[in-house]
Amino acid sequence: MSSFGCWGLPAALLALLCCPGSGEETFEVHIWPEKLAVETRGSVEVNCSTSCAKPEKIGLETPLNKTLLKYDPQNQWAQFLVSNFSQDTVLLCHFTCNGKQLLKSLRVSVYQLPTQVILKLQPPRVVVGKPFTIECTVPDVKPLESLTLTLLRGKETLQNQTFGGAALAPQDATTTLNSTASTEDRLLSFSCQAELDLRPHGGYIIRSISEPQILEVYALAQDSDGHLQGASCLEEASPGLPDTSCMSHMASSLVAAETRLGLSGCSPALAEGL
């Protein structure tokens, strides 16, 4: 009596139970990269390979333009160039081995860079203690769920906003912050950073930043009786030159009053010229 556990069974059944896979060769199909993020209208190289020793057929299925770059004479691997991506899609590598076909899929995420980051301060000139709005807009960006907009004052983060949704077409993204003007606001510039995180899709982090904006901040001077005298410019004029910007901006922010203009903070040359 044989010591094997399969003793007494017919030879064909014994081969299936004790030695599974011996009747039919198993094989695997691989596609590389396993994750892929491609810029709109971009191109990428894709590799298809198999563990089958002598595959009868090999191919890459896609509705996009493809070019065979390299291949193995034994049909165990092939390299393709796929181009002109316009929207998210799926690529399929397929091999046929001993009459059996296997597929391996690759989901491709198409992105559009935040090439423009537009920052606006409204109004651009404001009196201390009065409200103003910081608005940042990024037009035509994709995927929106990978985007974060960050409002900055100097290096200080004022607000982070992430976005949701999975729209097929590029979309505009906007974040807004309402704030109150302070004397510290004139010392630092405001900016907006757009960050597109493509790591979950096989890419990397892409950052763009806006042009810095300066908020012009003014104060209302008071006389000894506590009456408002006018706008006091908080900007410093260049030495020896009249602060003409102070004069023009101050005129638009003066309050109607019967008292004289208070020009503390503006240059003496400007005061003498009035």
Side-chain angles (χ1 to χ4, degrees):
M1 180 181 294
S2 171
S3 59
F4 289 102
C6 298
W7 174 82
L9 294 175
L13 182 59
L14 184 132
L16 289 175
L17 294 179
C18 297
C19 309
S22 60
E24 180 179 349
E25 181 183 356
T26 60
F27 68 102
E28 296 177 346
V29 172
H30 304 281
I31 188 169
W32 187 90
E34 297 179 348
K35 295 180 180 180
L36 186 59
V38 183
E39 189 173 2
T40 302
R41 296 180 295 276
S43 302
V44 69
E45 294 180 2
V46 176
N47 293 298
C48 298
S49 62
T50 181
S51 61
C52 177
K54 294 181 180 180
E56 295 103 37
K57 201 171 183 181
I58 178 176
L60 176 69
E61 294 299 322
T62 174
L64 304 174
N65 297 331
K66 67 178 179 181
T67 303
L68 179 62
L69 299 178
K70 301 176 183 178
Y71 67 95
D72 174 34
Q74 301 300 320
N75 280 343
Q76 286 190 297
W77 60 266
Q79 185 181 66
F80 300 88
L81 177 67
V82 186
S83 56
N84 201 27
F85 287 87
S86 60
Q87 62 184 11
D88 294 358
T89 188
V90 176
L91 307 180
L92 291 172
C93 280
H94 62 86
F95 286 85
T96 301
C97 184
N98 294 326
K100 180 181 179 181
Q101 186 182 67
L102 282 185
L103 304 174
K104 188 73 172 183
S105 64
L106 169 62
R107 183 172 297 276
V108 182
S109 299
V110 178
Y111 66 87
Q112 186 149 319
L113 291 174
T115 54
Q116 283 186 298
V117 185
I118 305 167
L119 180 70
K120 292 183 180 179
L121 302 178
Q122 296 291 340
R125 301 180 295 275
V126 65
V127 175
V128 171
K130 296 297 182 179
F132 71 99
T133 300
I134 310 168
E135 180 183 278
C136 179
T137 300
V138 177
D140 297 331
V141 65
K142 179 188 175 182
L144 206 60
E145 69 271 16
S146 298
L147 179 68
T148 299
L149 293 182
T150 303
L151 297 177
L152 301 163
R153 184 179 67 174
K155 294 183 179 180
E156 176 191 2
T157 297
L158 300 177
Q159 176 172 287
N160 278 323
Q161 182 172 344
T162 56
F163 298 84
L168 295 179
Q171 291 184 313
D172 296 352
T174 299
T175 185
T176 303
L177 176 65
N178 295 319
S179 186
T180 301
S182 67
T183 55
E184 289 79 11
D185 288 332
R186 71 185 178 93
L187 302 175
L188 299 168
S189 61
F190 291 85
S191 60
C192 177
Q193 177 181 272
E195 179 179 284
L196 198 63
D197 188 357
L198 300 172
R199 290 176 298 178
H201 306 288
Y204 47 93
I205 297 177
I206 301 171
R207 295 185 179 93
S208 300
I209 194 162
S210 69
E211 290 292 330
Q213 301 286 334
I214 300 293
L215 183 69
E216 299 176 19
V217 182
Y218 300 85
L220 291 178
Q222 292 183 343
D223 60 18
S224 57
D225 296 327
H227 297 116
L228 294 178
Q229 288 186 300
S232 175
C233 179
L234 294 180
E235 296 180 319
E236 295 182 359
S238 299
L241 294 176
D243 191 353
T244 55
S245 63
C246 173
M247 178 176 66
S248 60
H249 299 332
M250 181 181 65
S252 64
S253 60
L254 290 175
V255 293
E258 295 180 354
T259 56
R260 295 183 303 108
L261 289 174
L263 297 176
S264 60
C266 295
S267 68
L270 173 61
E272 292 174 2
L274 290 179

